[in-house]
Each structure stands twice: as C-alpha cells, then as structure tokens.
Amino acid sequence: TAHHSPQRNEWIRSVAQVRCAIHELCHVLGMRHCPYYQCLMNATRSDVREHDARPSELCPVCARKLQLSLGFRFMDWFVALARAWGGAGLESERAAARARAWGAAGRLASDSVPQ
C-alpha cells in the first residue's frame, strides 16, 4: 500500500466522506443501489475499505437517473466535478471528470473544459 502524508490521508478521508454523502443523497432522491457497473451507487458492506474504494462517479445508468431527477446538462455536471476535484488537488479524479465533460460535449473543446 502507498504511504501518504497526514494531509493527503485527510484528503482521502474527506473524499470518501463526500462519496458516502452523495451516495446517501441519491437514495434520498429515490435511487437504489446499482448492480450494473462500477458506480458510486454500488452497495457496500460496513467494511471501511469498501466505502473508501467506492468509485467517485455514477455509472451512465445512474447518471441519467440523476439527470432526469434534477434536470442538469451533463457537460455542466462534469465541468463542475473537474473543477471541484482539481481544487481538492485530486488530479486523477479531475482528469476523469474532464474526459467525461469532453465526451458530454461531443468534441474535444479544451477551451470549454477546465484545464
């Protein structure tokens, strides 16, 4: 396992807490656990490692459910996620959200997707 600084460990715990909060909020919005893909809405046991390993994003099925529930544009959603992850110093999460924003835009328009 990788050894991280205390500050990095705190970020990792914070991200896991945000994932858990978003997962529970999706339940409040009527979403159930996802059996289809690697997804933020996957069910986990009480094992902390499972919760910490939960993906940061919804799968396409669950993202569509959330979009229908809240009425947002996917590109706007992923641009906001990229900015949030980048602001938290989580480069791999930022890059993944940025790539999804490109896909949602249907083109590689780097001027419309945050660096």
Side-chain angles (χ1 to χ4, degrees), residues 36-106:
Y36 304 111
Y37 301 100
Q38 289 279 19
C39 180
L40 180 66
M41 288 307 295
N42 290 145
T44 60
R45 297 176 293 219
S46 295
D47 187 330
V48 171
R49 288 171 295 187
E50 274 191 36
H51 287 284
D52 290 351
R54 179 180 286 163
S56 297
E57 294 186 21
L58 296 170
C59 74
V61 173
C62 291
R64 181 69 173 145
K65 289 176 186 177
L66 189 62
Q67 181 197 30
L68 291 172
S69 178
L70 300 178
F72 58 84
R73 292 182 341 143
F74 276 115
M75 181 172 172
D76 296 340
W77 172 262
F78 290 118
V79 166
L81 281 176
R83 286 188 178 129
W85 291 127
L90 299 166
E91 180 57 31
S92 64
E93 304 285 0
R94 185 201 65 83
R98 188 167 183 252
R100 299 280 302 272
W102 281 348

Side-chain angles (χ1 to χ4, degrees), residues 15-36:
V15 169
Q17 291 168 347
V18 168
R19 285 182 192 139
C20 184
I22 293 170
H23 175 96
E24 296 305 325
L25 180 59
C26 287
H27 283 309
V28 170
L29 294 171
M31 293 175 63
R32 297 182 183 268
H33 287 139
C34 179
Y36 304 111

